[in-house]
Amino acid sequence: MERRGVSSGASESIQGSDDLKANFMSEPIVGIDLGTTNSEVAAFVDGQVRVLGPGDQRILPSCVGFSTSGELLVGEPARNQQTLYPDRTVRSIKRKMGSEETVTLGGKTFTPPEISALILRELVDWAAPSLGKRPQKAVITVPAYFSDAQRSATREAGALAGLEVLRILNEPTAASLAYGFAGGSRHTALVYDLGGGTFDVSVVTVEDGITEVLASHGNNSLGGDDFDDLLAEALAKEFQKQHGIDVRQGHPSARARLWWAAEEAKKKLSQEPYVAIREEALVTIAGKPLHLET
């Protein structure tokens, strides 16, 4: 059972439904977190919930690209080439879901659901060896404040990936279920979800296995990417101050390097009071390499 309202008063109830259980008995159903920055796939394997992936990999960067030879790259390979070929790589496509925007990669134009479908297909490939067959049904989580257009785009991405999307599940509902508030007593919790591209806060109640989202509010354009952008902007201004060159104008590779440096600095600042950044030969002018050190 599921109810969802509109605006900040979105309400949702969910409990383990017989139809999902019956489906799972006949064939595997995967749960997918299609994230702005990273994505994951999980399923019941041998009676336990497991996050699936090849080898030790469990997190798939939500990046898609084409190599210079035209090879499709999804995940870590695409993320790794972004510094050298930012025009051949796309990240954070989740922010464009539900919009009419398109992206161009390697001379080809893609819609946001088409890019997301490539990520979903990779996740399905990750899950298949552990499940013994390629899953064809999925539950996909989305931010609680996703609009109907964004939810429809997510379903479209699933269909393009060859998946029957059985349910679009609000992320705060998934979080409350994952934390095991399944006892008979009533719990009220505040779920604070700050992701790579979206931010929302939800008040949920859980009682007798039923989770209800009483209220939810958020911003689909606020997340870790924005912190990275602000740090990268600060680094670009520092480089301009040191060398008189604005890398934001006509230096795509340098801009990409600054963005990755900003992301790594942000991670380190979670544990350390300051971070030293040195990007060697960020720009070369008249044969002279110019470094950023700050």
Side-chain angles (χ1 to χ4, degrees), residues 155-279:
R155 287 189 178 275
E156 180 185 348
L160 291 172
L163 289 169
E164 179 186 353
V165 181
L166 299 177
R167 179 168 293 163
I168 297 292
L169 184 62
N170 283 348
E171 288 167 359
T173 302
S176 63
L177 292 171
Y179 271 85
F181 292 144
S185 61
R186 181 181 177 90
H187 300 274
T188 301
L190 182 71
V191 182
Y192 183 97
D193 184 359
L194 178 60
T198 61
F199 168 65
D200 56 68
V201 177
S202 303
V203 178
V204 304
T205 61
V206 186
E207 187 173 13
D208 293 329
I210 299 176
T211 299
E212 183 172 9
V213 179
L214 301 179
S216 184
H217 209 315
N219 188 327
N220 293 329
S221 298
L222 174 62
D225 282 357
D226 299 285
F227 304 152
D228 298 336
D229 289 343
L230 287 171
L231 287 170
E233 180 80 6
L235 294 178
K237 289 179 178 178
E238 179 63 25
F239 186 81
Q240 186 175 18
K241 178 181 175 182
Q242 293 179 12
H243 302 289
I245 296 172
D246 187 355
V247 298
R248 295 164 294 184
Q249 305 294 326
H251 298 277
S253 180
R255 289 201 311 273
R257 285 179 61 185
L258 286 185
W259 197 89
W260 292 120
E263 185 190 46
E264 290 303 312
K266 178 190 68 177
K267 293 176 183 177
K268 291 179 181 178
L269 287 169
S270 296
Q271 307 295 332
E272 303 171 14
Y274 65 90
V275 176
I277 295 175
R278 179 174 173 81
E279 287 291 319

Side-chain angles (χ1 to χ4, degrees), residues 64-185:
V64 173
F66 284 93
S67 69
T68 53
S69 63
E71 178 188 2
L72 174 65
L73 305 174
V74 181
E76 199 68 38
R79 188 182 189 278
N80 291 341
Q81 80 154 16
Q82 186 174 12
T83 300
L84 290 176
Y85 305 108
D87 58 325
R88 289 182 163 271
T89 314
V90 62
R91 59 176 175 81
S92 303
I93 195 65
K94 185 174 179 177
R95 287 191 153 181
K96 300 182 186 297
M97 293 289 276
S99 74
E100 298 299 320
E101 292 186 58
T102 60
V103 296
T104 301
L105 293 176
K108 301 178 182 179
T109 301
F110 297 87
T111 64
E114 287 173 334
I115 294 295
S116 293
L118 297 173
I119 299 170
L120 290 173
R121 284 177 189 162
E122 184 73 9
L123 291 171
V124 168
D125 288 344
W126 278 22
S130 297
L131 299 175
K133 62 186 297 187
R134 186 178 178 84
Q136 296 182 330
K137 297 183 178 182
V139 174
I140 302 177
T141 61
V142 298
Y145 214 61
F146 248 25
S147 67
D148 288 338
Q150 290 167 308
R151 291 168 190 266
S152 295
T154 303
R155 287 189 178 275
E156 180 185 348
L160 291 172
L163 289 169
E164 179 186 353
V165 181
L166 299 177
R167 179 168 293 163
I168 297 292
L169 184 62
N170 283 348
E171 288 167 359
T173 302
S176 63
L177 292 171
Y179 271 85
F181 292 144
S185 61

Side-chain angles (χ1 to χ4, degrees), residues 1 14-24 166-167 209:
M1 178 174 62
I14 183 170
Q15 65 185 134
S17 56
D18 292 336
D19 59 330
L20 282 180
K21 292 177 182 176
N23 272 315
F24 188 79
L166 299 177
R167 179 168 293 163

